[in-house]
Amino acid sequence: VVDSEEDVDVGSVSKQVALRASGSAGGGSWNFEDHKFGESPIDIFGLNVESWCSSTQTFEYNSDGTIGTYYSLWKALKKSSVPIIFSEMGCPHSHFDRDDLERKTKEGTRDWKQVEVVSRDMADSWSGFVAYTYDGPEDFVMFKGGPWDGQHVLEPTKDFENFRKELAKVTLLEDGAEEAGIRNDYSSVDSKFLPRQCSDVESELMGLGVRLFNDDEIRSY
């Protein structure tokens, strides 16, 4: 897993990540582009990213007009032959819109617009993400309440509601998408890269004996 913060030269770092990874055999390097899946000494590559810290950011450009962090990562890693994910994704609350006093909130509520970017614009080479975080450093949490005793149910924050809203936009809806006002245009993405239906994933997990909870039933641990 590699960490990448917003002030890092992502273009330079991600290019090195794309071409080299420490190999388990002999401690050498591994060229992702020259080997097929299964031949690499790693099974999946995770990148921690704390960028997307502005509500004016886009896939192509950061809020200051420089090349977008996510675009740089996508461009540098798109030829990787191993699955790549964002193993931690989310800007610190204290950093979100910090230079935009008109948009900044006291809580630093994130808009999570990068969810659609990863699921759509980067879908040809990225396999997903882990939203950071359910529990962890206060600057990243999406739930509140407690006490943390494994029994009490936590309360979702506005931050989580934004995340859930953005996640819903990239869920493949069979009917009613237009009526619901949800943009669902995947015309530019190969069908094999489209996200699976949440209901299908839930059924598969439950079939494996995994117990699932609604967000209003998640207990602390």
Side-chain angles (χ1 to χ4, degrees), residues 119-136:
S119 302
R120 182 195 303 271
D121 300 290
M122 303 173 70
D124 59 346
S125 50
W126 287 74
S127 298
F129 59 85
V130 177
Y132 195 67
T133 181
Y134 166 71
D135 173 36

Side-chain angles (χ1 to χ4, degrees), residues 13-205:
V13 172
S14 60
K15 180 171 290 187
Q16 296 178 47
V17 169
L19 299 179
R20 295 183 179 180
S22 296
S24 57
S29 63
W30 196 263
N31 190 318
F32 286 9
E33 299 180 15
D34 291 345
H35 297 83
K36 297 178 180 179
F37 175 69
E39 295 180 351
S40 170
I42 62 175
D43 298 314
I44 189 169
F45 188 84
L47 183 72
N48 294 352
V49 61
E50 296 180 2
S51 62
W52 203 279
C53 290
S54 171
S55 54
T56 61
Q57 184 168 346
T58 66
F59 176 45
E60 293 85 1
Y61 297 101
N62 294 321
S63 58
D64 60 0
T66 58
I67 299 299
T69 302
Y70 284 72
Y71 179 82
S72 296
L73 289 169
W74 168 76
K75 186 175 181 180
L77 291 167
K78 64 181 180 179
K79 293 184 179 180
S80 171
S81 61
V82 299
I84 47 179
I85 66 168
F86 286 121
S87 42
E88 289 182 6
M89 185 178 80
C91 173
H93 293 298
S94 59
H95 288 194
F96 194 80
D97 278 339
R98 62 180 176 180
D99 297 323
D100 190 336
L101 298 181
E102 292 185 0
R103 292 185 172 87
K104 181 176 176 59
T105 64
K106 180 180 179 181
E107 298 79 12
T109 303
R110 300 167 288 187
D111 63 8
W112 290 103
K113 298 295 185 181
Q114 72 268 44
V115 169
E116 187 172 10
V117 165
V118 178
S119 302
R120 182 195 303 271
D121 300 290
M122 303 173 70
D124 59 346
S125 50
W126 287 74
S127 298
F129 59 85
V130 177
Y132 195 67
T133 181
Y134 166 71
D135 173 36
E138 187 174 350
D139 215 12
F140 294 92
V141 295
M142 302 166 73
F143 286 77
K144 63 182 180 180
W148 297 85
D149 56 6
Q151 297 297 322
H152 285 77
V153 175
L154 303 182
E155 179 183 352
T157 63
K158 175 63 175 176
D159 192 77
F160 175 75
E161 295 300 332
N162 286 347
F163 169 69
R164 181 165 60 178
K165 178 181 178 181
E166 293 306 311
L167 197 62
K169 290 182 180 180
V170 296
T171 299
L172 288 180
L173 302 177
E174 295 180 356
D175 300 305
E178 294 184 4
E179 289 78 359
I182 299 175
R183 184 160 61 94
N184 193 33
D185 178 15
Y186 285 94
S187 58
S188 62
V189 180
D190 191 309
S191 60
K192 66 183 178 182
F193 298 124
L194 295 178
R196 297 174 60 192
Q197 289 272 16
C198 287
S199 57
D200 293 339
V201 176
E202 291 174 356
S203 296
E204 184 174 322
L205 290 174

